[in-house]
Amino acid sequence: MRKKRLNKVIVGALSTVMIVTAFAGCGSSGKNSGQTQGNKSDESKESSKVVVDFWSAPEQYSLDFWTKYAEKFNDSNTKINGKNIEVKVQMMPAQPSSEAGIQNAIATGTVPALSENINRSFANTLAESQAVYDLSGEDWFDDVVDERQIEETMKGWAIQGSQFVLPLYVNPITWCYNSKALKELGVNDVPQTKADLDALLGTFKEKQEELKNVGVTHFMYRPELLNSANYWERWFDVESPYDAMSKGTPLVDGNKLTADKEALQKVFEMYGAMGSSLLTGTIDGLWQQDTVQVVMGCGLPWDITANNAAGKKYGLDGDYVFGPSIVENDGDTHYNYADSKGIVLYKNKSITEDEHKGAIEFLKYVFIGEGKDSFDLDWMETTAMLPVRGDLESNDKLESFFDKNPAFKDIRAYVADAIPGSAHEKSADIMTALGEKAIIPLIQDVTKREIGENPDVSQYVDTALEAMKTAGGLD
């Protein structure tokens, strides 16, 4: 089975080689892939150093960040077999996608020794192809897990009992509220439970006309509910609230559809109750507007930087405030979707043993060596994303960042209950089918109705389950 899947991935990658190469034109050590392999072996033998290629995420700030830490590491003169290790950082190709770029590099033998920007689903694809190292049981990896206090977190990253990813950052996806609208509604805290949210919607319905006078015309904003092209949007508007309602039961586990039907129905009912107060028209930079038209929307941590730049104040007494995922009852755990990616070490004939060992030395330097004391604070200040650590709420070294960024101070509390997505190789197909077959028809139905005119969502739930099962070839 592994060999068959490997062939499938590689053949798929090769089919994109011409396209990707045209866009990327790069490979190991920044050389054109056509000449890299011919020269690489000779260079390695003659060189007094071991060159370790690292691909950063395809953003300039990622390249700058990792280049800074590579330079620090290179200055440490760390050696493998008597040769200095030199880490070279290059931005991974982003067209047609970073995943396609990596698969192309694997197929052409130009893959780096390590890269960031890998989620659990793609890690599973790479693991099935035996293209990445299993890190579980490695002493250095265990030391990193201990130092970052992420033993519990790693349970959510396991793939068939093994660990292939060192998780780097996490964006817990919850809800965001218009603080001024909450004040107009006489609400002094963000909703925690389904009953709280129902009460908030009921109050909105009662005061709808009054709210229009202050520019609040709708209850929730989520135009992506009518878009199935970007499959990942289902992680935010369906999977995250589902995680909370299902008490952490995965939609898909292995090759089995494990969705809790009752919990999925509660998510559909949540949207169904909103009727035409669900705003699906596009607004660029909703939370940065002078007047925010809605009471709530998806809580997406990457909005914080733009909100700050727009001069928006965070908190119940400010412009916007984050709240937890909505649970059924008081005391339930506020599970949520973890938009999270990490680092993998690639296994390829083009990567020498010294290069692999050099890559490990770099990770040891960053996470448990000289770099660890500054890494996480630098990471947050550069990327505005939370590092995957189990001590975000108690680590004194990070407090200076949280004191300056109250929004991040609030959402760090949701990290411990954030669950990475499915590891299934057809996750994209599964989420696309969920959107096309069930979510879009549901929302088209809902938005024709009044608040509280709840449609019977059971047919949409049945359709969703069957669509996901078919798309993923699930049991």
Side-chain angles (χ1 to χ4, degrees):
M1 179 62 76
R2 278 184 175 276
K3 185 175 181 180
K4 183 177 179 181
R5 289 183 174 176
L6 170 63
N7 289 339
K8 185 177 180 181
V9 169
I10 298 304
V11 168
L14 284 172
S15 69
T16 63
V17 164
M18 297 303 293
I19 298 173
V20 174
T21 302
F23 280 105
C26 56
S28 296
S29 299
K31 300 172 183 175
N32 291 329
S33 58
Q35 73 182 54
T36 300
Q37 296 313 303
N39 298 338
K40 192 172 181 181
S41 177
D42 292 340
E43 289 175 355
S44 181
K45 290 177 182 176
E46 296 173 5
S47 175
S48 60
K49 63 186 178 185
V50 176
V51 177
V52 174
D53 290 307
F54 177 100
W55 276 5
S56 75
E59 288 93 15
Q60 186 62 45
Y61 62 77
S62 292
L63 177 65
D64 294 343
F65 177 83
W66 284 110
T67 297
K68 173 182 173 180
Y69 273 83
E71 289 174 349
K72 286 185 176 184
F73 172 77
N74 294 341
D75 288 344
S76 72
N77 294 318
T78 305
K79 299 181 186 300
I80 284 289
N81 294 328
K83 293 180 282 189
N84 279 350
I85 304 167
E86 179 181 348
V87 174
K88 288 190 173 180
V89 182
Q90 183 179 348
M91 190 184 296
M92 65 174 54
Q95 298 294 336
S97 70
S98 59
E99 289 85 359
I102 290 168
Q103 289 180 320
N104 169 69
I106 291 170
T108 57
T110 56
V111 70
L114 74 168
S115 85
E116 61 167 338
N117 205 37
I118 305 298
N119 65 24
R120 185 167 177 254
S121 174
F122 188 50
N124 180 62
T125 299
L126 295 172
E128 289 284 350
S129 303
Q130 301 182 53
V132 288
Y133 282 89
D134 177 5
L135 308 179
S136 51
E138 297 269 353
D139 289 343
W140 69 269
F141 182 70
D142 292 343
D143 289 344
V144 172
V145 170
D146 288 344
E147 200 285 326
R148 300 180 73 75
Q149 302 181 31
I150 54 175
E151 186 175 352
E152 284 299 314
T153 301
M154 294 312 300
K155 292 177 182 177
W157 279 90
I159 298 174
Q160 297 180 17
S162 296
Q163 298 288 353
F164 298 94
V165 183
L166 176 57
L168 181 60
Y169 73 83
V170 55
N171 292 307
I173 306 300
T174 59
W175 299 108
C176 187
Y177 298 88
N178 178 347
S179 302
K180 293 177 179 175
L182 292 181
K183 188 175 182 181
E184 290 291 332
L185 292 168
V187 175
N188 298 317
D189 201 359
V190 292
Q192 305 282 324
T193 66
K194 183 176 180 296
D196 293 341
L197 187 65
D198 289 344
L200 184 64
L201 179 61
T203 306
F204 171 83
K205 183 179 179 181
E206 292 174 6
K207 297 187 175 183
Q208 203 166 2
E209 293 305 315
E210 297 172 49
L211 286 168
K212 286 180 181 176
N213 295 330
V214 294
V216 179
T217 58
H218 291 74
F219 185 70
M220 179 182 281
Y221 175 72
R222 186 60 183 164
E224 292 84 356
L225 285 165
L226 291 176
N227 178 9
S228 64
N230 298 334
Y231 68 88
W232 53 86
E233 301 290 357
R234 299 293 82 76
W235 295 339
F236 311 146
D237 52 36
V238 176
E239 189 161 359
S240 194
Y242 165 83
D243 285 339
M245 286 296 176
S246 68
K247 298 180 172 58
T249 302
L251 286 169
V252 176
D253 191 9
N255 199 48
K256 187 175 182 180
L257 183 68
T258 53
D260 180 328
K261 183 177 178 179
E262 184 178 347
L264 191 60
Q265 179 153 332
K266 289 173 182 173
V267 175
F268 283 30
E269 288 172 346
M270 176 187 72
Y271 290 121
M274 295 177 189
S276 59
S277 73
L278 183 56
L279 180 59
T280 55
T282 302
I283 300 173
D284 290 332
L286 172 73
W287 299 104
Q288 294 100 55
Q289 300 295 313
D290 289 340
T291 300
V292 177
Q293 291 178 238
V294 298
V295 176
M296 65 180 294
C298 279
L300 309 175
W302 48 84
D303 285 340
I304 296 172
T305 300
N307 293 348
N308 289 341
K312 297 297 181 178
K313 180 182 177 184
Y314 179 80
L316 278 167
D317 60 345
D319 298 297
Y320 73 105
V321 63
F322 284 98
S325 56
I326 301 298
V327 295
E328 181 72 17
N329 300 304
D330 281 328
D332 289 350
T333 300
H334 292 274
Y335 289 112
N336 61 83
Y337 180 82
D339 174 62
S340 187
K341 292 186 177 180
I343 296 170
V344 296
L345 291 158
Y346 293 98
K347 188 189 298 183
N348 192 281
K349 289 181 180 178
S350 66
I351 301 167
T352 68
E353 186 64 16
D354 279 355
E355 289 170 352
H356 174 63
K357 290 180 178 176
I360 292 174
E361 290 302 316
F362 178 54
L363 294 180
K364 288 165 62 177
Y365 172 89
V366 168
F367 292 110
I368 53 178
E370 293 178 30
K372 72 179 177 66
D373 288 337
S374 60
F375 180 85
D376 294 300
L377 188 58
D378 279 353
W379 173 265
M380 290 194 292
E381 290 179 341
T382 302
T383 68
M385 294 190 290
L386 296 174
V388 178
R389 294 196 62 102
D391 59 351
L392 286 177
E393 295 186 84
S394 59
N395 191 322
D396 293 339
K397 295 175 183 175
L398 308 181
E399 277 307 300
S400 61
F401 175 85
F402 292 123
D403 287 345
K404 292 183 294 185
N405 296 276
F408 284 105
K409 193 169 188 173
D410 270 7
I411 64 172
R412 67 178 174 174
Y414 310 141
V415 169
D417 301 322
I419 304 173
S422 160
H424 198 278
E425 62 183 337
K426 292 186 177 179
S427 290
D429 296 335
I430 293 168
M431 292 292 107
T432 298
L434 173 62
E436 283 181 350
K437 303 297 184 182
I439 297 300
I440 290 177
L442 168 68
I443 300 304
Q444 289 173 334
D445 184 354
V446 165
T447 50
K448 296 175 184 174
R449 300 169 183 265
E450 299 298 320
I451 296 174
E453 189 187 333
N454 302 26
D456 178 5
V457 302
S458 59
Q459 59 178 317
Y460 297 109
V461 174
D462 289 340
T463 300
L465 295 174
E466 187 60 35
M468 288 191 289
K469 189 174 182 179
T470 301
L474 304 173
D475 299 327

